[in-house]
Amino acid sequence: MGDAPPSSDMRSICIIGAGPAGLVAAKTFLQTGQCRVTVYEKSHRLGGIWALDEDATGGFLHPRTPTNLSRFSVGFSDLAWSSVDIDSHAKGKLPMFPKAWQVGKYLEEYRRRYLPEEVIKYGMRVSKAEKCKQLAIGSKEFWRVTAIDVDGREERADFDLLVVATGFFAKPRPLQHSVDVQGQIDSLSMLHSSQYRSLQDLLPPSSQSLAGKKILLVGGGNSAGEAAATIASHLSNAQWSNDTTQQKAFEGCRIIHITPRPIYALPPFTPANENSTVFMPLDFNFYDLSRRLPGPITGNAGRVPETVKEMLHGVLRKTVGGDQSDLGSDALVASEGAERGTVQVALAETYAEFVRSGLTEVRAGRVASISERDGRVVATMSHGGTSNEIEGIGAVVYATGYSPSPALDMLHPQVKDALHFDESSMRLPLILEQWQTMSKAEPNLAFIGFYEGPYWGVMEMQARLVAQHWLNDQEVLTKPYEEAVAMLDLRKAMQDRALDVPQCWFGDYAGYMEEIASVLELQRNDGNFQERSGAVSAARYLADSDDRKEADATMHDLYDTWQSCTETGKYTARAAFRALQGNWNVHRRITSHNTTYPSGVLTGTASFQFRSPTDAAYDLEYLYIESGTFTLANGATMNASRRYVYRYSEPQDQLSVWFVKPASDLEVDYLFHDLAFASPADAEEAGRHIAKADHLCVKDMYWTEYRLPIQGIALRSFQVEHKVKGPDKDYVSFTGYRRPEKSSG
């Protein structure tokens, strides 16, 4: 475009960043027919943090990391996931929580459909965006943007309007910002949670073993819970796989998680009704429009009133099945009364049971310092005015969040000053309004997705709002929670660690979607849902230029999934599988009606040990290990043990049980049975979930029934009954499982 100011017939838009925010902004402006759009992307490909291949090793995310929310929240209004070719690895069906590399595929298809290739300039890092005026055209302002390619060559161009879509999580926050790391510690690995991929990343430079060592995990947010669960799952897999090298290298290794606040650990599927007979993707429950108060749905943000705080703690406790004291860690039990903070959540499916098992130990407090003494690494932590030392540390993983400030380096200090920029504020570096898009102080500058945890649907709404404002001069009143006074007060409360600051201060997804849709007068596309029922999806709110066919496909998929959950119990098997994880006390009574097969009682222990699936056709796997003492009817006793493998397949929504090989009890042999779960209506009537199976084993027929009284997401006891008949067998085996009692500590 050279140095000449843009012409007045078409508005020229510069967008910085080709992640989800930049792509949806570019598509939105192009479809108005009133804009020329240029997107600068510093990487060689689009996608932002999702710019990943299936086997990529760089980036903030492991390519197989699943999204925190379902595909109905991770997507835009007019591209259905069913239209994206994510190849044979999807096993025939779309995952409910796509992997990171699959999200990258989605974004590539979105670009292919809606953005001409020449719109995006790859390998161009914007180093400077200056606000300029030219006297020849009066006082009109424009932006002069300088971008640098990989060879250091500069390119300058002028634009009417500037959109920053660089993403909020610009750079991992160094551990040294919050912890006094004394000197250079070369004897162990210290890495940000975004850098962790496998246990090999934790090995010290001079050794190939962490046996008997502690992995110190620092942080109290969602990423800390995710990292703790991921590392624990890798440790569990190392212990229960056939890789003896891994077993020895990490034998006796465990995690010490230091968190300044209790966190509730939630799995991807949570109960949708009072008696936990229906399970749905957690965002279906979080953003169910029928749960909003009567009247127009409006958004909320900022500090949390005491009544709301208490209500949210109550909801979370009901969801997880209690106050978490049964996990055996005081650090996970929220205090009562005035000292209780806001709800903090980790979307980490396996976290809680790894805590209960002891593989992860949670301690309340903050790490003050890490130092090396006589070849030993020691961490000092503080809590409640006291200090304690942690020794035997073999690796440090810090989930200390990200600094957004580097994403703003291209802006002139005067521009940032006008936006109340505060580099020390990691959570609220700018003071914006209009649903966190703009400021009256800089009317030709907008931000898309520049806040903690941006929702894809909200990013699309933000882009529409900015386009409407710039192209149609539509003014919108500032919401009270975005007034500068309120925002500056919130920033100070964050810095003071006030107890009423929420985990996600701008997190009312349903409220913002409904609010902005009303302002923009978008078309509703509720599909088969009533207007005030079902989950929020970007496909429910359409502009005239959106592809209605794609939106309808998404809404059809959403409604079918919703109905399958409520009517046939879809994902109950997944919820049950998750609830089985960990350790159990076992009591089994065998009543035989045939003298050739003994009656008796077994007492002992059992565990469902998490490990990576040993068959790619399955998504999750446990090794079941049982041992105990079997007492015959005549009083004689003997040691008894058995092993099975439990598997879950998402495409089939199937929980199955498999025999292990007699000569190699870590390896799967053949199928024992597939479990068929009763419908939610039958579970409601029975007061528990029921799963049945039958199986012919050589000449013996097994009829099996599992009785699973799940409360919230928790399972504290369950029963399994086998009825067996054959030429030499005629008995009933009834086994009761109960969680070992643990006291907080």
Side-chain angles (χ1 to χ4, degrees):
M1 295 176 62
D3 289 333
S7 62
S8 58
D9 55 340
M10 293 278 283
R11 308 297 293 277
S12 58
I13 313 283
C14 173
I15 298 173
I16 306 175
L23 295 176
V24 75
K27 179 255 189 186
T28 301
F29 281 109
L30 284 172
Q31 287 191 337
T32 66
Q34 302 177 54
C35 301
R36 296 194 308 274
V37 175
T38 300
V39 180
Y40 288 106
E41 170 53 50
K42 66 181 180 181
S43 176
H44 67 285
R45 61 185 296 180
L46 60 82
I49 64 171
W50 309 102
L52 299 165
D53 295 316
E54 190 172 2
D55 299 316
T57 56
F60 284 179
L61 296 173
H62 190 289
R64 289 186 290 280
T65 300
T67 57
N68 283 333
L69 302 178
S70 78
R71 64 176 185 262
F72 298 104
S73 295
V74 182
F76 296 124
S77 64
D78 53 358
L79 179 59
W81 270 93
S82 57
S83 297
V84 180
D85 180 14
I86 54 176
D87 72 26
S88 60
H89 293 277
K91 305 173 192 172
K93 287 192 177 181
L94 288 169
M96 184 53 60
F97 294 81
K99 304 291 191 295
W101 70 269
Q102 294 170 331
V103 178
K105 289 275 191 181
Y106 179 97
L107 291 171
E108 288 171 1
E109 176 63 18
Y110 190 79
R111 199 287 311 159
R112 188 190 69 79
R113 290 193 179 212
Y114 297 118
L115 302 182
E117 288 189 13
E118 63 271 15
V119 165
I120 304 177
K121 295 192 171 188
Y122 296 103
M124 299 294 290
R125 178 181 62 84
V126 174
S127 62
K128 191 184 300 182
E130 301 172 285
K131 202 166 56 169
C132 302
K133 288 184 181 180
Q134 281 211 354
L135 296 177
I137 55 172
S139 61
K140 181 180 178 182
E141 293 183 341
F142 62 93
W143 292 94
R144 178 155 293 166
V145 174
T146 302
I148 304 174
D149 68 14
V150 292
D151 296 318
R153 293 188 294 264
E154 288 190 350
E155 173 185 301
R156 289 187 179 85
D158 295 343
F159 300 90
D160 293 315
L161 304 162
L162 178 66
V163 175
V164 176
T166 49
F168 193 80
F169 304 119
K171 185 178 180 181
R173 188 183 184 197
L175 179 63
Q176 288 82 352
H177 281 199
S178 55
V179 176
D180 178 16
V181 180
Q182 299 175 5
Q184 185 73 24
I185 303 176
D186 297 321
S187 60
L188 84 172
S189 292
M190 301 176 67
L191 64 156
H192 190 270
S193 57
S194 65
Q195 298 171 302
Y196 177 79
R197 296 292 179 271
S198 72
L199 293 176
Q200 307 308 311
D201 297 327
L202 304 179
L203 291 171
S206 59
S207 173
Q208 290 300 303
S209 174
L210 275 183
K213 295 289 187 178
K214 300 182 181 77
I215 299 168
L216 182 66
L217 197 145
V218 182
N222 179 55
S223 58
E226 286 182 323
T230 299
I231 297 170
S233 69
H234 291 171
L235 289 173
S236 182
N237 181 65
Q239 183 177 359
W240 301 110
S241 72
N242 272 321
D243 188 338
T244 56
T245 301
Q246 284 275 87
Q247 289 177 5
K248 292 178 181 178
F250 298 98
E251 185 178 6
C253 192
R254 63 193 181 97
I255 299 164
I256 306 295
H257 178 196
I258 310 300
T259 175
R261 61 187 73 85
I263 56 176
Y264 295 97
L266 293 183
F269 298 92
T270 55
N273 61 352
E274 185 76 14
N275 295 326
S276 304
T277 56
V278 174
F279 284 85
M280 291 183 173
L282 56 84
D283 47 333
F284 283 30
N285 294 315
F286 285 173
Y287 312 122
D288 179 357
L289 292 174
S290 70
R291 300 188 182 193
R292 303 295 293 219
L293 295 174
I297 297 175
T298 58
N300 292 287
R303 303 176 76 167
V304 179
E306 192 67 25
T307 53
V308 175
K309 186 200 303 185
E310 294 306 307
M311 180 270 292
L312 291 174
H313 275 285
V315 169
L316 265 296
R317 285 187 171 187
K318 189 169 185 62
T319 300
V320 301
D323 65 0
Q324 302 191 123
S325 58
D326 60 315
L327 299 180
S329 174
D330 284 338
L332 293 180
V333 180
S335 60
E336 301 292 338
E339 295 304 311
R340 176 187 284 184
T342 54
V343 161
Q344 305 290 316
V345 171
L347 304 179
E349 185 165 21
T350 57
Y351 179 87
E353 293 309 326
F354 282 133
V355 172
R356 191 197 306 272
S357 72
L359 188 56
T360 299
E361 178 187 343
V362 188
R363 300 186 189 180
R366 297 180 184 273
V367 176
S369 66
I370 299 175
S371 60
E372 191 169 19
R373 305 175 193 168
D374 302 322
R376 298 176 299 109
V377 177
V378 178
T380 302
M381 61 169 290
S382 60
H383 178 63
T386 62
S387 295
N388 295 288
E389 290 189 345
I390 304 170
E391 298 187 351
I393 297 172
V396 177
V397 177
Y398 50 98
T400 49
Y402 299 83
S403 171
S405 297
L408 306 172
D409 285 347
M410 81 292 291
L411 296 177
H412 192 277
Q414 287 184 346
V415 173
K416 291 193 280 190
D417 286 345
L419 303 176
H420 300 278
F421 174 66
D422 184 346
E423 187 174 9
S424 68
S425 178
M426 298 295 169
R427 302 187 61 191
L428 193 55
L430 301 179
I431 303 301
L432 302 173
E433 54 189 83
Q434 303 299 302
W435 293 277
Q436 294 303 288
T437 58
M438 293 174 278
S439 168
K440 293 183 179 68
E442 294 293 342
N444 297 327
L445 171 64
F447 297 81
I448 306 296
F450 195 74
Y451 67 94
E452 290 178 315
Y455 300 91
W456 287 43
V458 172
M459 288 190 285
E460 186 170 24
M461 288 291 195
Q462 288 178 321
R464 290 166 170 166
L465 186 76
V466 171
Q468 185 89 318
H469 174 76
W470 278 346
L471 303 179
N472 299 331
D473 295 323
Q474 179 174 340
E475 291 289 340
V476 180
L477 291 175
T478 299
K479 307 299 292 184
Y481 54 75
E482 288 187 310
E483 294 282 357
V485 172
M487 296 288 285
L488 290 168
D489 174 71
L490 175 62
R491 176 190 280 172
K492 185 177 186 305
M494 290 173 174
Q495 293 168 334
D496 293 342
R497 297 174 178 168
L499 295 176
D500 62 351
V501 175
Q503 183 175 13
C504 296
W505 73 268
F506 194 70
D508 188 0
Y509 176 37
Y512 308 143
M513 294 293 283
E514 289 281 327
E515 224 169 29
I516 302 174
S518 176
V519 167
L520 298 178
E521 299 180 346
L522 297 179
Q523 305 168 29
R524 289 201 73 91
N525 181 39
D526 294 312
N528 290 323
F529 289 106
Q530 297 296 314
E531 184 173 329
R532 294 286 294 249
S533 69
V536 169
S537 168
R540 295 186 83 145
Y541 314 94
L542 301 181
D544 291 338
S545 57
D546 290 334
D547 187 330
R548 183 67 181 246
K549 182 179 178 181
E550 290 293 318
D552 286 347
T554 296
M555 291 306 299
H556 180 77
D557 185 11
L558 175 59
Y559 185 77
D560 280 357
T561 303
W562 187 281
Q563 291 298 102
S564 295
C565 291
T566 56
E567 294 180 3
T568 65
K570 188 177 180 68
Y571 299 124
T572 297
R574 173 64 179 266
F577 184 91
R578 189 218 70 84
L580 292 172
Q581 182 193 345
N583 300 328
W584 299 88
N585 290 330
V586 178
H587 183 274
R588 176 176 300 120
R589 179 175 295 278
I590 296 177
T591 304
S592 177
H593 305 291
N594 189 326
T595 56
T596 62
Y597 195 88
S599 297
V601 173
L602 178 138
T603 56
T605 60
S607 61
F608 292 81
Q609 299 289 354
F610 187 96
R611 68 180 190 178
S612 298
T614 51
D615 185 330
Y618 296 89
D619 298 279
L620 298 167
E621 183 170 306
Y622 296 136
L623 178 67
Y624 173 85
I625 304 169
E626 177 185 299
S627 62
T629 301
F630 186 66
T631 303
L632 299 171
N634 62 9
T637 62
M638 64 181 72
N639 293 329
S641 64
R642 64 173 61 177
R643 291 189 176 192
Y644 296 109
V645 166
Y646 282 64
R647 287 170 162 171
Y648 175 77
S649 164
E650 183 179 331
Q652 282 73 47
D653 189 32
Q654 180 69 66
L655 197 165
S656 57
V657 186
W658 299 70
F659 292 105
V660 297
K661 294 180 178 179
S664 180
D665 59 9
L666 291 175
E667 295 185 50
V668 177
D669 198 354
Y670 60 94
L671 179 68
F672 184 7
H673 52 236
D674 290 323
L675 290 175
F677 281 79
S679 69
D682 290 341
E684 192 79 36
E685 183 177 349
R688 71 199 72 178
H689 287 282
I690 304 292
K692 295 182 179 181
D694 53 56
H695 171 76
L696 180 64
C697 183
V698 189
K699 297 180 180 181
D700 302 318
M701 190 68 193
Y702 285 72
W703 293 272
T704 299
E705 181 172 296
Y706 283 65
R707 299 159 193 164
L708 304 153
I710 301 176
Q711 298 174 309
I713 61 172
L715 184 64
R716 294 185 172 84
S717 65
F718 70 100
Q719 298 82 40
V720 179
E721 183 180 71
H722 296 291
K723 294 180 179 179
V724 185
K725 281 188 179 292
D728 300 313
K729 295 179 181 179
D730 182 5
Y731 69 87
V732 175
S733 169
F734 185 87
T735 306
Y737 294 82
R738 187 170 295 277
R739 290 286 188 194
E741 290 188 10
K742 296 196 73 171
S743 57
S744 295

